[in-house]
């Protein structure tokens, strides 16, 4: 009997071409999962993620679901997946979900974290997971600018330019800006009902420009209103971003 | 004028053949430093480390010194080294030391940490820096066994077998065995006046065998007395080991 499995996955995105399966590469997280499960099941299995992550972006708690008919128990399937997946992709949790559960459509919100490294010297052990800034941004200016993004807004100016008619309105519930106890890192934590393509990275890039004094926090309002991508800041590198949690 | 520079270095040892320069490979930490400094100085520069680290072993605070005649200030030399070194080798500190300072001969002690991962699932982001155990060792048994190593002993049984006449007596000041707050990691921190080749890894392997019940803590005494490498346990993998600090 087909069961609907829900999995929570962690991955180091460094060497992958993002979450989503693509025609020209097998090197995606979704691709790795589908190849493994299809081989185990003997028929093609589709894995549905809560959303895409860009090439090089990491996940601590991505959620996905797939339908499969297997005699393995949940514990056995969990172990088998972890054993055969590469060591930079881990299944943290696996359980049978209700028939209606869909990782994308059922999602109520997401939490992303962007890690900025501002210490002296090079972050040898964190180098693949942070964006190193050569100057230290003003944390109060970042917080002030971030305030303009809280609530429901049209984030068209902060997403990859697509000529499509889908809504670009999203609600951001919080953006926490916190410096680590040793002062070497500034972490931006975004929680919202959903995020557009590249949105967290463009928001981060723009906030960093505010923090470094290249922009004024008040400008955020007019950028939002303009809906023009070229009014917003540069996109922050993929490697500093991590999908922390998908909420249901 | 030749000055004696003292540097503190951090490196991710994953892709290197250890600290020490070798004839058949340029891919060592010492090699990378010497090639860079020699190019900057226009003559050959020798870099002296506090000691070797094995291939795959990491460092948070390795210490080295070298003599060089340069017009660069310490700050400029520090920046140049960090700019031209690969992103998995960082200079954390650079200063002019007294003429007599020698990173190996002046060293008074060293601190190493060995990280054991005992969580469920795979440590995706820490996979290159921990040794994952499939069973959870008994931390009290590890502590009890570690107690036998404290103080001055002949550690001949716990080092790579060399037919040499150098002393294998060392003094271990402490071995702290601590579980991380989330319970996923057990860290062994060794401090001593010096460590023989592979010694921390063989001690760790033997302690883990005690923790898993394959050996009794009391056996440590007779292994020490025997001086026979084959009486001690298996050597733990290089990747879980990190040189934390060299004391002067």
């Amino acid at each position: 009997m087909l069961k609907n499995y829900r999995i929570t996955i962690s991955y180091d995105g460094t060497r992958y071409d993002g979450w989503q399966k693509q025609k020209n590469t097998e090197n995606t997280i979704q691709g790795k999962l589908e190849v493994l499960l299809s081989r185990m099941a003997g028929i093609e299995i589709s894995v549905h993620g809560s959303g895409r992550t860009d090439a090089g972006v990491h996940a601590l708690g991505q959620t996905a679901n797939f339908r499969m008919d297997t005699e393995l128990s949940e514990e056995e399937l969990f172990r088998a997946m972890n054993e055969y997946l590469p060591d930079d992709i881990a299944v943290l949790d696996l359980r049978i979900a209700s028939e209606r559960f869909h990782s994308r459509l059922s999602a109520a919100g997401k939490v992303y974290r962007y890690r900025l490294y501002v210490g002296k010297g090079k972050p040898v052990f964190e180098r693949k997971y942070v964006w190193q800034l050569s100057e230290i941004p003003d944390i109060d200016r970042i917080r002030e600018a971030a305030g303009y993004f809280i609530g429901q807004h049209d984030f068209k100016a902060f997403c990859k330019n697509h000529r499509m008619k889908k809504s670009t309105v999203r609600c951001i519930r919080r953006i926490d800006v916190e410096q680590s106890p040793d002062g070497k890192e500034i972490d931006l934590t975004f929680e919202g009902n959903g995020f557009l393509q590249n949105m967290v990275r463009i928001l981060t890039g723009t906030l960093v420009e505010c923090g470094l004094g290249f922009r004024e926090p008040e400008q955020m309002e007019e950028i939002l209103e303009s809906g023009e991508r070229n009014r917003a800041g540069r996109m922050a590198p993929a490697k500093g971003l991590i999908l922390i949690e998908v909420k249901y």
Side-chain angles (χ1 to χ4, degrees), chain A:
Chain A
M1 206 186 75
L2 274 183
K3 285 175 215 137
N4 187 15
Y5 291 94
R6 167 181 169 169
I7 52 174
T8 308
I9 322 151
S10 173
Y11 47 85
D12 179 334
T14 307
R15 64 186 191 93
Y16 294 100
D17 301 319
W19 166 265
Q20 197 177 40
K21 191 171 51 177
Q22 292 168 38
K23 277 182 185 148
N24 56 340
T25 168
E26 285 213 328
N27 192 37
T28 67
I29 316 293
Q30 186 186 27
K32 293 287 171 193
L33 290 166
E34 292 190 346
V35 165
L36 170 63
L37 291 168
S38 300
R39 205 184 317 139
M40 288 173 69
I43 59 160
E44 213 161 294
I45 304 282
S46 296
V47 175
H48 308 281
S50 73
R52 309 171 189 184
T53 49
D54 297 339
V57 170
H58 317 288
L60 195 63
Q62 167 72 293
T63 301
N65 70 297
F66 58 89
R67 289 183 168 73
M68 187 170 164
D69 182 7
T70 173
E71 284 173 7
L72 295 179
S73 69
E74 289 148 83
E75 180 65 23
E76 288 166 335
L77 186 54
F78 172 83
R79 281 173 188 264
M81 288 185 75
N82 276 316
E83 185 165 342
Y84 292 110
L85 284 168
D87 66 358
D88 49 8
I89 305 178
V91 180
L92 302 181
D93 186 69
L94 178 147
R95 60 186 66 191
I96 295 170
S98 82
E99 187 46 42
R100 290 184 309 279
F101 177 78
H102 187 290
S103 56
R104 182 169 55 82
L105 300 176
S106 312
K110 281 182 185 168
V111 181
Y112 276 97
R113 181 161 301 140
Y114 200 99
R115 296 174 59 187
L116 304 169
Y117 186 83
V118 297
K120 204 187 166 198
K122 297 186 293 187
V124 161
F125 298 103
E126 302 297 323
R127 67 192 189 280
K128 293 173 178 169
Y129 314 118
V130 297
W131 177 23
Q132 180 168 20
L133 303 179
S134 47
E135 289 187 67
I136 301 178
D138 181 326
I139 205 164
D140 290 330
R141 286 175 64 96
I142 295 182
R143 285 202 180 110
E144 190 190 338
Y148 290 93
F149 298 132
I150 306 303
Q152 184 156 300
H153 299 281
D154 186 338
F155 286 97
K156 192 163 189 291
F158 294 91
C159 75
K160 192 171 172 176
N161 244 326
H162 280 307
R163 288 195 199 85
M164 56 173 189
K165 287 169 188 162
K166 280 190 188 166
S167 168
T168 45
V169 173
R170 294 290 185 279
C171 179
I172 295 187
R173 292 173 198 138
R174 64 179 170 109
I175 303 178
D176 293 338
V177 184
E178 281 165 320
Q179 191 145 15
S180 62
D182 64 7
K184 292 182 178 175
E185 225 179 270
I186 296 174
D187 291 347
L188 311 183
T189 306
F190 299 80
E191 182 174 341
N193 64 352
F195 294 90
L196 303 161
Q197 194 171 9
N198 297 347
M199 179 170 152
V200 181
R201 294 168 60 192
I202 299 171
L203 287 171
T204 299
T206 310
L207 289 171
V208 166
E209 290 175 12
C210 288
L212 294 174
F214 299 121
R215 293 169 179 274
E216 294 307 316
E218 309 85 73
Q219 285 178 266
M220 300 305 109
E221 211 163 0
E222 60 192 64
I223 301 174
L224 278 169
E225 274 169 23
S226 76
E228 292 171 16
R229 169 67 188 91
N230 60 14
R231 301 281 291 274
R234 279 175 51 211
M235 179 164 73
K239 66 177 184 170
L241 183 59
I242 181 164
L243 171 57
I244 299 288
E245 189 189 352
V246 184
K247 299 204 167 191
Y248 292 94

